[in-house]
C-alpha cells in the first residue's frame, strides 16, 4: 500500500462526504478564527494602552494631592487641596535627581472668538511641561520668562481649538485675541498635533497658558495647585527621584513617619502597570470567550465524527473485506483528519485575521495578531479532529471485517 | 485430472457466538474439501450456519476451533495483514446487500481492491476496472452511483469488484437474495461463465432453483453438513434466459 494511493482514497472519501467534511472543517474554522480574533483584540488594546502611557514620557513622575488608597476611589481634582506652588519650587530647588518640574492648575472654560465659542481645558503650566511631555510648537513660540513671571495674557492652543474657533485647522491664529472666561488672551503659538489617546480623548483640545496666568486670573482659590508633573534625570533614577520627592514633601508637610501621606507620587511605569493589569484582565476575558468557542468547535468536530461512526465502520468493513489492512484504514483516516485540519485551520486563520482587521477598521480598535494564538488554536482544533477521526477508526480497524460490516 | 486439485480443506470447524451469557453453536465440526474449478452451492434453512461458514472460509471471520488450509497453506496461523492480502488477491466476496461504498461511482468502487494491491500499477488501474465492469455487462455505466443502479446492476458492480484482482475463488452469500428471478439468472450466467474460465465459486443460497446452476450442492442443518451431492441435471443460465425471453415474447404476441 503506498501513500499516494492512501491520499487518493482519503481525498475521494472527503469529496464524497462533502457535508460531513465541511461541518468538521467548520468546527475548526470557528475555533481557530475566534481565538485569533479575540486574542488579537486583547493584545492590540494592551499594546496601544502601553504605547500611549509611554508617550506621557518614560521618566515622568506625577504628584497628586491626597492619598491614593490602593485601588480605592480617589476624589475628583480639588477635593483634596494639599499641594502648593512652593512644593513644586522646593522639588525644583532640592531634588537633584529631578530634571524638570512644573506645577499644574487646570479648569474647563468657555473660549470665545468673535461669534464662535468652544469649551476646552485650560492648563496653567511652566515651560518644563512641554519638555516633560515632549510637546512642540509648530507655529509661533513658547512662553518667555517674562510671560511666566508677569502672568501675561498669552496662550498656546491645540489644533482642535484652532479648528473650532477659526473654522480651519490650518488657519494661522498667531496674534489673535480670544476670550477665556471673559479675559482677553493672545495666542502666541500652536501645538503640534497629538491625535487621540487610547481612551478616545482628543489631546489637541487644549489651551496652555503660563502658570500664574491661570492661577491668578482664572482660578477661584489661588492657594493650591492641581498637581505637579516632574521628570527624573534618567529612567533608572526615576525610583530614587520618587523617594527624594516623597521625603522632601513629607518634611515640608510635616507628616510623621507613621502617618499617611497627604499626597501621592506615581511614576509613569506604575501607571502603565495599573493599566497593564486592566488589559490583562480583559485579555483573559477575551481568551476565555475564545476558549469556549474552541471548545464548542471541538464538540462540533467530535459530534460529526461520532455520528458518522456507524457509516464509517461499515465502510471500514467493506475496505477490509476487499483487502485493506488495519494500518491502511487507520492511515486513511489520519490523512483525512490532517487534510480537514490543515484546510480548516488555514481558512480559520484567514477568517480570524479578516475578522480582526474588520474590527480594527470599523471599530477603530487596534489589533495585534500573535503567532501564539495561531499555533494554539490550530494545534487544539487539529488535535481534536485528529483524535476523533483516529480513535473510532482504530476501534473499527481492530474488529473482524465481518463485525465491522455488521456494525450498527 | 486438473479439476481434482484441492483448493480448500477445512476440518472440524466450530464456531461459537457468545452474547452475554447466551452461547450459540453456529458451526459444529464442519469438514469439507473444495477442489479447484468447483461451483458449490450451500443450502439450508435460515440460521443453519451457512453465512458463518462462508465468512470463515472467506477469511472475514475466524473459527472457534478446527483447521483451514488453502492451497496447502494453513490459513488460521496467518496474521491480520496476511489475511488482508489473501482477501485482496485470492478471494472475491459478493454480499447479499451488495456492500458498495455509497456516493462512489461504479468505476471507483471497482478500483478499490486495486488501490490496496501493490502489484497493480496506477496506470493499469482504470483500464482493469473498466474491463471488469464490461465483463459483467456494465461497460456503459462506469460513472453511475450505486443509488442510480438497480439491484441487479449493483450486484454486478459488486461482482466486478470481486473479480478485478483476478481471484482464484469467488464467494457469494445469497447473491440473488434481493433480486427477482430473471435478474438472478443473469447473475448465475455471469458465475457460470466465470466458473468455465476456471474460477472456483462458493455460493450460499436458499433457493433450490438457483442451486441447480451449481455443480455441487451441500446442505447445512443446525451447524452441520447433512448432505453433499453432485447436481444431477445442471441448468445452464444462458439457455434459461433465452427460454424466459421466448416465453415473454409469446405472451406479448397473444
Ligand atoms: N454475530 C453473531 N452473534 C451471535 N449469534 C450469531 C451471529 N451471527 C450468527 N449468529 C447465530 O448463528 C447461527 C447461524 O447463523 P448464520 O450463519 O447467519 O445462519 P444462516 O446464514 O444459515 O442463516 C444463528 O443461530 C444465528 O443466530
Ligand atoms: Mg445467512
Amino acid at each position: 500500500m503506498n501513500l499516494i494511493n492512501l491520499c487518493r482514497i482519503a481525498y475521494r472519501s472527503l469529496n464524497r462526504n462533502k457535508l460531513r467534511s465541511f461541518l468538521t472543517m467548520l468546527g475548526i474554522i470557528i475555533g481557530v478564527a475566534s481565538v485569533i480574533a479575540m486574542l488579537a483584540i486583547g493584545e492590540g488594546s494592551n499594546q496601544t494602552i502601553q504605547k500611549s502611557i509611554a508617550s506621557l514620557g518614560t521618566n515622568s513622575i506625577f504628584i497628586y494631592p491626597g492619598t491614593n488608597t490602593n485601588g480605592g476611589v480617589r476624589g475628583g481634582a480639588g477635593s483634596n487641596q494639599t499641594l502648593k506652588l512652593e512644593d513644586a519650587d522646593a522639588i525644583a530647588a532640592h531634588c537633584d535627581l529631578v530634571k524638570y518640574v512644573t506645577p499644574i492648575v487646570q479648569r474647563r472654560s468657555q473660549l470665545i472668538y468673535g461669534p464662535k465659542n468652544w469649551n476646552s481645558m485650560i492648563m496653567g503650566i511652566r515651560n518644563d511641561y512641554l519638555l516633560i511631555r515632549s510637546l512642540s510648537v509648530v507655529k509661533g513660540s513658547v512662553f518667555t520668562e517674562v510671560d511666566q513671571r508677569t502672568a501675561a495674557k498669552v496662550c498656546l492652543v491645540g489644533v482642535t481649538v484652532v479648528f473650532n474657533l477659526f473654522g480651519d485647522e490650518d488657519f494661522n491664529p498667531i496674534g489673535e485675541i480670544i476670550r477665556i472666561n471673559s479675559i482677553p488672551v493672545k495666542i502666541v503659538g500652536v501645538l503640534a498635533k497629538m491625535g487621540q489617546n487610547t481612551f478616545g480623548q482628543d489631546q489637541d483640545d487644549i489651551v496652555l497658558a503660563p502658570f500664574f496666568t491661570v492661577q491668578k486670573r482664572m482660578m477661584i482659590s489661588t492657594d493650591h495647585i492641581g498637581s505637579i508633573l516632574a521628570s527624573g534625570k534618567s529612567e533608572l533614577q526615576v525610583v530614587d527621584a520618587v523617594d527624594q520627592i516623597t521625603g522632601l514633601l513629607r518634611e515640608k508637610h510635616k507628616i510623621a513617619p507613621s502617618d499617611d501621606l497627604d499626597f501621592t507620587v506615581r511614576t509613569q511605569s506604575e501607571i502603565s502597570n495599573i493599566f497593564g493589569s486592566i488589559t490583562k484582565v480583559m485579555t483573559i476575558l477575551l481568551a476565555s470567550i475564545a476558549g469556549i468557542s474552541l471548545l464548542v468547535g471541538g464538540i462540533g468536530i467530535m459530534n460529526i465524527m461520532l455520528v458518522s461512526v456507524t457509516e464509517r465502520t461499515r465502510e471500514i468493513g467493506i475496505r477490509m473485506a476487499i483487502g485493506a489492512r488495519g494500518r491502511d484504514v487507520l492511515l486513511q483516516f489520519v490523512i483525512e483528519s490532517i487534510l480537514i485540519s490543515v484546510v480548516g485551520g488555514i481558512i480559520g486563520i484567514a477568517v480570524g485575521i479578516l475578522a480582526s482587521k474588520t474590527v480594527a477598521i470599523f471599530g477603530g480598535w487596534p489589533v495585534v495578531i500573535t503567532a501564539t494564538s495561531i499555533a494554539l488554536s490550530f494545534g487544539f482544533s487539529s488535535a481534536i479532529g485528529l483524535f476523533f477521526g483516529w480513535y473510532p477508526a482504530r476501534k473499527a480497524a481492530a474488529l473482524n471485517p465481518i463485525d465491522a460490516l455488521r456494525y450498527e | 485430472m486438473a479439476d481434482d486439485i484441492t483448493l480448500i480443506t477445512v476440518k472440524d470447524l466450530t464456531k461459537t457466538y457468545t452474547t452475554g451469557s447466551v452461547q450459540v453453536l453456529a458451526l459444529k465440526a464442519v469438514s469439507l474439501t473444495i477442489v479447484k474449478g468447483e461451483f458449490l452451492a450451500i443450502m439450508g434453512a435460515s440460521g443453519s450456519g451457512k453465512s458463518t461458514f462462508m465468512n470463515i472460509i472467506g477469511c472475514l471471520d475466524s473459527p472457534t476451533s478446527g483447521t483451514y488450509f488453502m492451497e496447502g497453506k494453513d490459513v488460521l496461523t496467518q496474521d491480520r495483514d496476511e489475511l488482508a492480502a489473501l482477501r485482496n488477491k485470492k478471494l472475491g466476496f459478493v454480499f447479499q446487500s451488495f456492500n458498495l461504498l455509497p456516493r462512489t461511482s461504479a468505476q471507483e468502487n471497482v478500483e478499490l481492491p486495486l488501490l490496496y494491491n501493490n502489484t497493480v500499477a496506477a496506470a493499469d488501474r482504470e483500464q482493469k476496472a473498466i474491463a471488469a465492469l464490461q465483463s459483467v455487462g456494465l461497460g456503459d455505466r462506469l460513472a453511475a452511483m450505486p443509488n442510480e443502479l438497480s439491484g441487479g446492476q449493483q450486484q454486478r458492480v459488486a461482482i466486478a469488484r470481486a473479480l478485478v484482482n483476478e481471484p482464484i475463488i469467488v464467494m457469494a452469500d445469497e447473491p440473488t437474495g434481493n433480486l427477482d428471478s430473471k435478474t438472478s439468472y443473469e447473475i448465475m450466467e455471469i458465475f457460470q461463465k466465470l466458473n468455465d474460465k476456471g474460477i472456483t465459486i462458493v455460493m450460499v443460497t436458499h433457493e433450490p432453483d438457483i442451486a441447480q446452476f451449481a455443480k455441487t450442492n451441500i446442505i447445512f442443518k443446525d451447524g452441520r453438513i447433512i448432505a453433499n451431492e453432485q447436481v444431477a441435471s445442471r441448468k445452464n443460465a444462458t439457455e434459461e434466459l433465452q427460454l424466459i425471453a421466448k416465453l415473454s415474447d409469446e405472451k406479448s404476441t397473444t
Side-chain angles (χ1 to χ4, degrees):
Chain A
M1 188 73 239
N2 63 52
L3 213 58
I4 298 166
N5 278 359
L6 272 182
C7 289
R8 182 173 285 116
I9 289 170
Y11 172 75
R12 280 182 184 177
S13 165
L14 291 178
N15 202 33
R16 159 155 47 88
N17 297 290
K18 286 194 185 71
L19 185 63
R20 185 179 69 206
S21 309
F22 172 73
L23 288 175
T24 313
M25 232 178 248
L26 197 62
I28 293 178
I29 293 171
I30 291 171
V32 171
S34 59
V35 169
I36 289 174
M38 297 284 179
L39 292 184
I41 292 167
E43 184 58 27
S45 63
N46 190 18
Q47 287 194 10
T48 331
I49 287 173
Q50 294 299 342
K51 216 189 305 173
S52 73
I53 286 166
S55 78
L56 296 176
T58 46
N59 298 348
S60 305
I61 299 165
F62 305 85
I63 302 139
Y64 306 102
T67 308
N68 187 358
T69 42
N70 235 343
V73 182
R74 198 154 50 87
S79 66
N80 281 298
Q81 297 200 321
T82 57
L83 288 180
K84 293 186 171 176
L85 177 60
E86 57 196 70
D87 291 331
D89 290 337
I91 291 168
H94 301 297
C95 297
D96 58 352
L97 295 175
V98 171
K99 192 172 183 190
Y100 300 119
V101 60
T102 174
I104 297 173
V105 281
Q106 59 184 45
R107 62 170 295 179
R108 292 201 76 85
S109 291
Q110 207 67 21
L111 314 177
I112 302 166
Y113 178 78
K116 298 199 174 179
N117 71 94
W118 180 246
N119 191 282
S120 190
M121 180 66 79
I122 319 297
M123 287 179 95
I125 45 95
R126 296 223 170 114
N127 286 10
D128 275 7
Y129 182 85
L130 301 167
L131 299 170
I132 299 169
R133 296 283 320 268
S134 314
L135 301 180
S136 57
V137 168
V138 282
K139 289 177 191 135
S141 55
V142 298
F143 311 125
T144 63
E145 266 313 302
V146 177
D147 290 338
Q148 290 286 0
R149 210 162 355 100
T150 60
K153 294 180 206 169
V154 291
C155 69
L156 302 172
V157 291
V159 287
T160 304
V161 174
V162 175
F163 175 79
N164 284 288
L165 289 183
F166 303 98
D168 181 3
E169 241 183 55
D170 297 326
F171 181 84
N172 186 348
I174 308 294
E176 301 290 337
I177 310 280
I178 60 172
R179 288 176 173 275
I180 303 175
N181 286 345
S182 316
I183 302 161
V185 178
K186 189 166 86 178
I187 297 176
V188 295
V190 178
L191 295 166
K193 192 173 173 127
M194 289 175 280
Q196 291 190 347
N197 69 10
T198 330
F199 314 103
Q201 263 177 342
D202 182 358
Q203 300 183 89
D204 299 311
D205 187 7
I206 195 158
V207 177
L208 299 180
F211 174 76
F212 286 128
T213 311
V214 177
Q215 196 203 28
K216 293 194 168 146
R217 298 180 192 277
M218 301 178 191
M219 304 301 281
I220 301 154
S221 153
T222 53
D223 265 2
H224 295 96
I225 59 175
S227 59
I228 298 169
L229 182 63
S231 70
K233 283 240 159 70
S234 75
E235 225 178 310
L236 292 172
Q237 289 172 307
V238 167
V239 178
D240 293 333
V242 167
D243 287 345
Q244 259 188 358
I245 293 170
T246 310
L248 178 77
L249 292 186
R250 183 191 284 277
E251 204 174 292
K252 269 189 75 70
H253 293 195
K254 301 192 173 60
I255 298 166
S258 58
D259 285 349
D260 283 346
L261 297 171
D262 62 355
F263 59 91
T264 304
V265 184
R266 286 247 182 271
T267 63
Q268 186 272 334
S269 73
E270 280 176 306
I271 291 176
S272 138
N273 284 346
I274 292 169
F275 283 104
S277 56
I278 292 171
T279 54
K280 205 155 146 200
V281 168
M282 200 174 80
T283 307
I284 289 170
L285 189 80
L286 289 171
S288 328
I289 297 171
I292 290 167
S293 321
L294 209 55
L295 204 69
V296 170
I299 289 169
I301 298 167
M302 188 181 82
N303 276 348
I304 300 294
M305 292 300 202
L306 293 183
V307 161
S308 64
V309 117
T310 307
E311 195 198 62
R312 303 234 70 180
T313 303
R314 290 235 177 81
E315 178 191 329
I316 290 171
I318 294 172
R319 289 181 185 280
M320 291 200 294
I322 60 173
R325 293 169 304 177
R327 92 181 78 124
D328 297 332
V329 170
L330 269 183
L331 214 56
Q332 174 200 336
F333 276 65
V334 169
I335 293 170
E336 280 184 30
S337 299
I338 289 174
L339 281 177
I340 285 192
S341 300
V342 168
V343 175
I346 289 170
I347 296 174
I349 290 169
V351 171
I353 291 175
L354 215 70
S356 307
K357 300 276 182 216
T358 309
V359 168
I361 292 165
F362 291 102
W365 196 257
V367 294
V368 175
I369 293 154
T370 58
T372 331
S373 67
I374 293 178
L376 180 92
S377 54
F378 188 79
F380 184 79
S381 309
S382 37
I384 288 187
L386 211 63
F387 179 77
F388 287 101
W390 168 83
Y391 182 70
R394 198 196 67 135
K395 274 173 74 177
L399 295 173
N400 272 333
I402 196 68
D403 294 326
L405 277 170
R406 282 212 202 100
Y407 186 87
E408 50 197 28
Chain B
M1 227 166 83
D3 260 9
D4 284 326
I5 295 170
T6 303
L7 185 60
I8 285 175
T9 314
V10 295
K11 236 189 161 92
D12 299 326
L13 275 192
T14 69
K15 177 75 181 178
T16 311
Y17 291 112
T18 312
T19 2
S21 57
V22 184
Q23 289 210 331
V24 178
L25 275 87
L27 291 181
K28 301 165 187 163
V30 173
S31 299
L32 183 71
T33 299
I34 302 172
V35 295
K36 258 203 174 106
E38 175 64 285
F39 188 161
L40 182 71
I42 301 174
M43 312 257 301
S46 179
S48 58
K50 308 183 294 291
S51 293
T52 303
F53 178 71
M54 277 290 276
N55 293 336
I56 290 170
I57 61 169
C59 302
L60 298 176
D61 204 352
S62 45
T64 308
S65 68
T67 59
Y68 175 9
F69 286 84
M70 183 189 289
E71 292 184 311
K73 268 189 275 181
D74 190 350
V75 172
L76 300 181
T77 57
Q78 298 191 13
D79 64 24
R80 290 173 64 89
D81 287 357
E82 288 170 324
L83 289 177
L86 198 67
R87 288 193 294 268
N88 185 247
K89 298 193 177 75
K90 300 228 160 142
L91 304 178
F93 221 100
V94 177
F95 302 90
Q96 179 179 353
S97 54
F98 320 137
N99 276 335
L100 298 177
L101 284 189
R103 299 183 292 280
T104 304
S105 72
Q107 186 183 326
E108 283 186 22
N109 260 295
V110 176
E111 276 181 21
L112 273 184
L114 299 172
L115 286 167
Y116 293 109
N117 185 348
N118 280 335
T119 60
V120 176
D124 300 338
R125 208 154 42 216
E126 189 173 324
Q127 181 247 316
K128 272 180 180 274
I130 293 171
L133 279 165
Q134 279 167 344
S135 77
V136 296
L138 284 175
D140 54 344
R141 301 304 306 271
L142 301 176
M145 298 292 161
N147 62 352
E148 298 161 0
L149 296 170
S150 71
Q153 288 172 323
Q154 288 185 58
Q155 195 60 298
R156 282 191 277 163
V157 174
I159 293 169
R161 184 178 66 186
L163 293 176
V164 75
N165 265 331
E166 291 158 23
I168 55 170
I169 177 164
V170 169
M171 314 226 166
D173 191 351
E174 305 207 27
T176 62
N178 288 346
L179 306 175
D180 63 48
S181 61
K182 180 167 170 277
T183 318
S184 300
Y185 287 2
E186 286 167 3
I187 300 296
M188 286 309 110
E189 186 182 27
I190 294 169
F191 279 2
Q192 283 189 332
K193 281 184 178 160
L194 288 174
N195 189 235
D196 290 345
K197 282 192 231 158
I199 294 175
T200 306
I201 293 180
V202 181
M203 170 181 81
V204 168
T205 182
H206 59 261
E207 300 159 83
D209 64 322
I210 295 294
Q212 297 301 304
F213 293 102
K215 287 178 181 165
T216 309
N217 285 359
I218 65 174
I219 300 174
F220 267 77
K221 195 186 177 197
D222 292 337
R224 287 182 213 281
I225 296 174
I226 56 161
N228 183 344
E229 57 206 19
Q230 299 295 116
V231 176
S233 51
R234 191 178 177 214
K235 288 203 276 189
N236 181 303
T238 314
E239 287 167 12
E240 295 293 323
L241 283 166
Q242 280 165 356
L243 207 64
I244 291 172
K246 221 170 94 188
L247 282 172
S248 61
D249 268 2
E250 278 167 16
K251 244 189 204 154
S252 56
T253 48
T254 50

